[in-house]
């Protein structure tokens, strides 16, 4: 089914929409700004990229159109002929060929202009070459106006066609107009085909689906056909002829013996023989409709002979029904389905593939292990259940009867052990033994274990009283005592290692000096303290007093000299430093620093953004939002 789902074909835009789509995509997806510091090589690459991108966009759109539209050589012959009837095979292939030619022309235009752009010697020359390339591509597209419009009409009509699977189980309804074909498909399927009391109400193929024998069937209602040469049949009739010629189906030819359809019985019989070559190797069901008006038995002998002649065909079956009062409708449907199933099986058996399948099938037969005859055996309980009678008071009780007698549901518990088949019935309610190491624990239990245990306890009490062993005596083993002492020593050593590690970490921090509590200590007090502890207090006092005296200008360094010189000297020094960096004075250096920060602000905001990064530089491109113009040129493209 999915192979012939033409609803997935994308819409085909008109030539003007095609150009707008491609050019706007080029505008959005490629760089749009050339800065004045670009060299000529970068400018060439800029415009070559636009031409190549436009060509690739055209290529992508053309490829989608050519791939999605069905190729008449690759699809089923039914759909190929149906498209030939509806759209004209030559016109359809010519339109697709025009699209393919346009694709090659645009590829060639792009190659030629990219070759010329490689040798562009100025910004103006490159821009004009790009403009000419895109203009020639747009001109090629404008010439495809009629082909694109035709393909869009074909796409819309294809999407409205019913999804017909040419290989599934199909009932094909055909015949003269107004003989009850649409009424029949509405009765047996979920389809809703328009039914009117005039001819050619159905102008195209309609498909309905139904279920029969757990299988899905499709029923196709074809437009009515008339009895005249093939060359004179119109498009509506040719759809029916195409379906009958190519679909593997059961042909249901409808006839109206009452002639209310407007055509005589003789004309309907002639039409059957006229289109009979299309029914080769297909089961045929001749459906006599409207038997509520005229039955086959009511016909003159001559007309009955015509119908019997059709019935004598080995592939044909004559059935009668009435859609008005639903008489025989389902019998006709079931008979047609059975005929088609039998024909499909017969066709498969005649094919060459069936031998390969039969060779792969193997029917397994069990081999006899001895010559004994084993007759079927029915257990006694099963025999009783086979004779079970609800009204018999002496019948065997069922679990349901026991449940009712013993309190009902929720109170009665089913006894699952009573049907155990054991050597001794007394074993049924024994505790299920436990297994340990592959042995049944119950096999090793001594039935006199409790008596032996009591005797052993009495013997221990007697030995205790005689002083044979003392319970309070230390039972510790020497090896166990050694392991315990070793473990204690290890734990103690571990504690010492952790403590030493923490102490070492604490030494890494700087020693915080104590706060001075006596703030009235003088230099003389410090000298006396140093003398007491055996140090030279007078030398230390002399150094401290010298540090407190002010140095002369000759002893001071250059920085201190500048500080003492005043504001004028400081400004001169700053100007000298600015001059060393290439500025006239400090003010000019400060202004330069300010300008430097302003210039870098925007770049810092943009980060690593380049001119090829995606962005909408132009919020409203003119070629998309400007109004229609009646005069003038469109050079702004």
């Amino acid at each position: 089914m999915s192979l012939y789902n033409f609803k997935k074909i994308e819409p085909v835009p008109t030539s003007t929409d095609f150009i707008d789509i491609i050019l706007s995509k080029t505008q959005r997806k490629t760089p749009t700004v050339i800065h004045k510091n670009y060299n000529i090589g970068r400018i060439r690459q800029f415009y070559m990229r636009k031409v190549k991108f436009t060509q690739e966009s055209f290529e992508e759109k053309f490829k989608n159109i050519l791939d999605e539209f069905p190729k008449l050589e690759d699809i089923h012959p039914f759909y190929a002929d149906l498209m030939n009837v509806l759209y004209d095979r030559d016109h359809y292939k010519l339109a697709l060929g025009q699209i393919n030619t346009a694709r090659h022309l645009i590829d060639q235009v792009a190659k030629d202009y990219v070759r010329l752009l490689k040798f562009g010697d100025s910004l103006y020359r490159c821009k004009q070459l790009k403009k000419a390339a895109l203009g020639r591509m747009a001109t090629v597209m404008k010439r495809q106006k009629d082909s694109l419009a035709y393909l869009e009409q074909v796409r819309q009509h294809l999407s409205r066609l019913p999804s017909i699977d040419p290989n599934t189980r199909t009932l094909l309804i055909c015949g003269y107009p107004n003989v009850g074909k649409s009424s029949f498909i509405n009765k047996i399927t979920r389809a809703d085909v328009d039914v009117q009391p005039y001819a050619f109400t159905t102008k195209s193929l309609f498909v309905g689906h139904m279920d029969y024998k757990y299988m899905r069937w499709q029923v196709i209602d074809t437009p009515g056909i008339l009895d005249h040469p093939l060359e004179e049949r119109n498009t509506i009739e040719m759809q029916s002829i195409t379906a009958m010629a190519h679909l593997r189906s059961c042909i249901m030819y409808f006839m109206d013996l009452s002639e209310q359809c407007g055509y005589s019985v003789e004309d309907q019989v002639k039409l059957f023989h006229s289109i009979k070559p299309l029914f080769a190797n297909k089961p045929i069901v001749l459906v006599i409709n409207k038997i509520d008006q005229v039955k086959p038995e009511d016909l003159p002998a001559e007309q009955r002979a015509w119908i019997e002649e059709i019935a004598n065909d080995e592939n044909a079956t004559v059935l009668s029904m009435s859609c008005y009062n639903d008489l025989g409708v389902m019998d006709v449907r079931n008979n047609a389905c059975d005929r088609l199933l039998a024909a499909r099986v017969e066709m498969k058996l005649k094919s060459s593939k069936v031998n390969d399948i039969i060779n792969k099938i193997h029917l397994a037969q069990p081999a006899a292990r001895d010559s004994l005859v084993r007759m079927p055996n029915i257990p006694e309980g099963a025999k009783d259940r086979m004779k079970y009678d609800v009204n018999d008071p002496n019948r065997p009780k069922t679990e349901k009867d026991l449940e009712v007698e013993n309190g009902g549901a929720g109170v009665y518990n089913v006894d699952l052990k009573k049907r155990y088949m054991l050597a001794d019935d007394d074993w049924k309610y024994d505790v299920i033994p436990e297994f340990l190491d592959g042995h049944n624990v119950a096999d090793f239990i001594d039935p006199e274990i409790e008596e032996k245990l009591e005797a052993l306890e009495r013997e221990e009490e007697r030995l205790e009283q005689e002083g044979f062993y003392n319970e309070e005596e230390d039972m510790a083993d020497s090896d166990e005592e050694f392991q315990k002492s070793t473990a204690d020593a290890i734990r103690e050593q571990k504690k010492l290692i952790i403590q030493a590690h923490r102490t070492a970490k604490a030494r890494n921090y700087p020693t915080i000096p104590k706060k001075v509590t006596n703030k009235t200590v003088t230099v003389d007090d410090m000298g006396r303290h140093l003398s007491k502890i055996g140090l030279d207090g007078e030398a230390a006092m002399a150094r401290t007093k010298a540090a407190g005296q002010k140095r002369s200008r000759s002893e001071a360094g250059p920085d201190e000299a500048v500080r003492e010189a005043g504001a004028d000297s400081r400004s001169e020094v700053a100007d000298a430093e600015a001059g060393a960096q290439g500025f006239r004075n400090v003010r000019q250096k400060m202004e330069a620093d300010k300008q430097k920060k302003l210039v870098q602000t925007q770049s810092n905001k943009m980060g690593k953004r380049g001119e090829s990064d995606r962005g909408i530089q132009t919020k409203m491109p003119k070629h998309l939002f400007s109004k229609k113009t009646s005069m003038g040129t469109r050079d702004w493209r």
Side-chain angles (χ1 to χ4, degrees):
M1 275 295 198
S2 60
L3 292 176
Y4 305 109
N5 185 9
F6 301 127
K7 295 179 178 62
K8 295 181 180 179
I9 303 176
E10 293 183 0
V12 180
T14 62
S15 59
T16 54
D17 291 344
F18 214 116
I19 295 170
D20 283 343
I21 290 168
I22 299 300
L23 292 184
S24 63
K25 184 177 181 181
T26 304
Q27 176 78 358
R28 288 182 289 108
K29 299 287 188 179
T30 57
T32 55
V33 180
I34 291 182
H35 298 287
K36 60 184 178 180
N37 59 343
Y38 283 3
N39 58 25
I40 188 63
R42 190 166 183 181
I43 293 172
R44 290 173 188 156
Q45 291 294 331
F46 180 90
Y47 285 112
M48 286 165 60
R49 179 176 178 183
K50 281 190 174 295
V51 174
K52 288 180 181 177
F53 187 86
T54 307
Q55 178 263 326
E56 290 170 0
S57 300
F58 275 114
E59 174 80 15
E60 182 182 356
K61 294 290 287 184
F62 285 142
K63 190 173 184 302
N64 286 341
I65 292 174
L66 294 172
D67 289 345
E68 289 182 348
F69 275 88
K71 296 179 177 58
L72 299 183
E73 293 79 10
D74 297 341
I75 60 177
H76 195 275
F78 162 69
Y79 275 108
D81 281 2
L82 184 63
M83 292 181 67
N84 182 29
V85 168
L86 296 174
Y87 318 122
D88 185 6
R89 175 195 298 265
D90 296 334
H91 197 175
Y92 176 77
K93 297 181 76 171
L94 184 63
L96 290 179
Q98 291 285 346
I99 297 299
N100 195 31
T101 303
R103 180 176 69 167
H104 291 309
L105 287 175
I106 288 177
D107 290 351
Q108 192 60 41
V109 168
K111 287 180 182 178
D112 293 343
Y113 278 89
V114 166
R115 190 180 301 115
L116 292 173
L117 277 167
K118 288 181 181 178
F119 302 100
D121 55 358
S122 65
L123 171 63
Y124 177 77
R125 184 76 58 89
C126 294
K127 186 173 183 179
Q128 293 303 106
L129 287 172
K130 184 269 299 186
K131 192 174 178 181
L134 268 57
R136 285 188 61 184
M137 293 179 188
T139 303
V140 172
M141 279 308 307
K142 287 179 181 177
R143 292 175 183 166
Q144 308 306 317
K145 176 182 177 182
D146 296 335
S147 297
L148 293 172
Y150 169 77
L151 288 176
E152 174 60 15
Q153 293 296 323
V154 170
R155 183 200 68 83
Q156 293 178 7
H157 196 277
L158 274 176
S159 65
R160 293 194 292 268
L161 284 180
S163 295
I164 298 174
D165 188 354
N167 301 313
T168 191
R169 295 163 291 276
T170 307
L171 301 181
L172 188 66
I173 306 173
C174 62
Y176 261 98
N178 207 24
V179 294
K181 301 187 296 298
S182 300
S183 301
F184 178 70
I185 191 175
N186 287 345
K187 292 286 184 182
I188 66 172
T189 69
R190 294 181 285 273
D192 185 15
V193 185
D194 188 22
V195 177
Q196 297 295 338
Y198 50 81
F200 287 106
T201 308
T202 304
K203 295 184 175 63
S204 63
L205 299 176
F206 283 89
V207 180
H209 293 86
M210 67 175 188
D211 292 327
Y212 178 68
K213 289 187 175 180
Y214 304 102
M215 290 183 290
R216 177 59 57 90
W217 297 68
Q218 67 179 4
V219 185
I220 301 177
D221 179 20
T222 62
I225 52 180
L226 303 177
D227 185 19
H228 48 226
L230 187 66
E231 296 79 12
E232 299 178 9
R233 288 196 167 100
N234 57 20
T235 303
I236 296 176
E237 294 176 280
M238 286 303 297
Q239 295 182 55
S240 300
I241 298 298
T242 304
M244 287 187 285
H246 293 293
L247 293 179
R248 294 174 52 194
S249 60
C250 176
I251 304 295
M252 302 183 71
Y253 184 82
F254 274 57
M255 288 184 63
D256 179 11
L257 301 183
S258 66
E259 300 182 356
Q260 293 178 351
C261 61
Y263 304 96
S264 65
V265 176
E266 183 180 2
D267 291 339
Q268 297 179 52
V269 172
K270 286 182 179 179
L271 175 63
F272 178 84
H273 290 293
S274 174
I275 62 176
K276 188 177 179 181
L278 299 173
F279 305 158
N281 300 323
K282 297 175 186 175
I284 305 169
V285 177
L286 179 63
V287 181
I288 307 298
N289 196 13
K290 302 183 183 179
I291 60 172
D292 57 310
Q293 300 293 328
V294 176
K295 296 182 179 180
E297 297 81 12
D298 302 335
L299 292 175
E302 183 182 3
Q303 294 182 355
R304 283 205 307 271
W306 295 337
I307 296 176
E308 290 174 359
E309 181 184 356
I310 297 175
N312 291 332
D313 189 348
E314 58 179 5
N315 288 333
T317 304
V318 179
L319 300 173
S320 58
M321 70 171 194
S322 173
C323 290
Y324 181 74
N325 52 19
D326 294 344
L327 182 62
V329 172
M330 300 312 292
D331 293 337
V332 170
R333 185 204 73 169
N334 298 344
N335 191 290
C337 292
D338 293 337
R339 290 289 310 277
L340 180 60
L341 282 179
R344 286 169 67 94
V345 172
E346 183 180 357
M347 189 177 299
K348 288 180 180 178
L349 290 175
K350 290 180 180 179
S351 66
S352 60
K353 293 183 180 179
V354 70
N355 294 327
D356 298 336
I357 297 174
I358 291 176
N359 292 335
K360 295 178 182 177
I361 298 175
H362 172 66
L363 183 60
Q365 292 287 348
R369 63 185 180 185
D370 50 36
S371 59
L372 296 178
V373 178
R374 294 176 174 82
M375 300 300 294
N377 180 29
I378 302 176
E380 292 297 329
K383 290 181 180 178
D384 296 339
R385 289 193 294 273
M386 291 170 66
K387 300 175 183 177
Y388 184 81
D389 184 7
V390 178
N391 300 320
D392 184 8
N394 299 322
R395 69 180 186 278
K397 290 186 178 181
T398 62
E399 290 295 332
K400 187 68 176 178
D401 299 333
L402 295 174
E403 180 183 353
V404 174
E405 293 176 1
N406 292 283
V411 178
Y412 172 71
N413 288 327
V414 179
D415 187 1
L416 300 177
K417 297 183 178 181
K418 65 182 180 182
R419 297 195 183 277
Y420 282 2
M421 291 186 295
L422 302 175
D424 188 352
D425 288 341
D426 296 337
W427 297 349
K428 287 184 179 179
Y429 297 97
D430 288 350
V431 178
I432 296 177
E434 296 183 1
F435 289 86
L436 177 67
D437 297 333
H439 299 287
N440 189 351
V441 177
D443 294 341
F444 299 93
I445 294 178
D446 190 352
E448 301 176 356
I449 185 68
E450 293 183 357
E451 299 178 0
K452 293 181 179 180
L453 184 60
E454 291 178 0
L456 186 60
E457 289 179 352
R458 287 196 298 270
E459 183 179 359
E460 287 184 352
E461 291 177 358
R462 179 178 60 78
L463 292 175
E464 265 185 50
Q465 292 174 358
E466 294 177 358
F468 185 74
Y469 53 77
N470 187 8
E471 284 188 349
E472 297 179 358
E473 186 179 354
D474 189 7
M475 303 292 291
D477 191 14
S478 59
D479 292 341
E480 185 179 351
E481 190 70 25
F482 174 74
Q483 291 178 0
K484 187 176 179 180
S485 60
T486 305
D488 292 341
I490 291 173
R491 292 192 192 97
E492 190 66 28
Q493 186 66 24
K494 195 172 182 180
K495 288 181 183 178
L496 294 175
I497 292 172
I498 294 173
Q499 187 175 359
H501 179 65
R502 289 175 179 169
T503 305
K505 284 183 66 176
R507 291 199 191 99
N508 293 334
Y509 296 102
T511 304
I512 301 176
K514 295 182 180 180
K515 293 183 180 180
V516 179
T517 55
N518 189 5
K519 296 183 180 181
T520 60
V521 178
T522 62
V523 177
D524 295 336
D525 295 337
M526 185 186 70
R528 285 193 293 272
H529 177 67
L530 292 174
S531 299
K532 285 181 181 180
I533 61 177
L535 298 176
D536 190 359
E538 295 182 0
M541 290 170 60
R543 285 197 299 273
T544 304
K545 290 179 179 180
Q549 296 177 356
K550 189 175 182 181
R551 291 180 291 175
S552 63
R553 182 174 295 182
S554 59
E555 296 174 348
D559 294 338
E560 294 180 6
V562 170
R563 279 198 299 272
E564 294 181 5
D568 295 337
S569 299
R570 284 198 297 273
S571 63
E572 292 174 2
V573 173
D575 289 342
E577 291 179 356
Q581 298 181 11
F583 301 102
R584 285 197 299 272
N585 49 34
V586 177
R587 182 177 298 172
Q588 188 180 26
K589 182 176 183 302
M590 294 174 64
E591 183 66 23
D593 292 340
K594 182 178 178 183
Q595 293 295 329
K596 177 183 174 183
K597 289 182 179 178
L598 289 175
V599 170
Q600 289 179 346
T601 301
Q602 192 64 22
S603 299
N604 293 339
K605 288 181 179 178
M606 301 296 284
K608 294 184 178 181
R609 180 186 171 93
E611 78 273 2
S612 65
D613 289 327
R614 300 291 178 255
I616 305 175
Q617 283 77 23
T618 306
K619 299 295 183 184
M620 295 179 66
K622 186 176 180 182
H623 72 282
L624 288 182
F625 294 95
S626 62
K627 64 181 182 179
K628 294 182 179 179
T629 58
S630 57
M631 298 293 291
T633 62
R634 294 175 175 78
D635 290 341
W636 42 266
R637 276 204 196 277

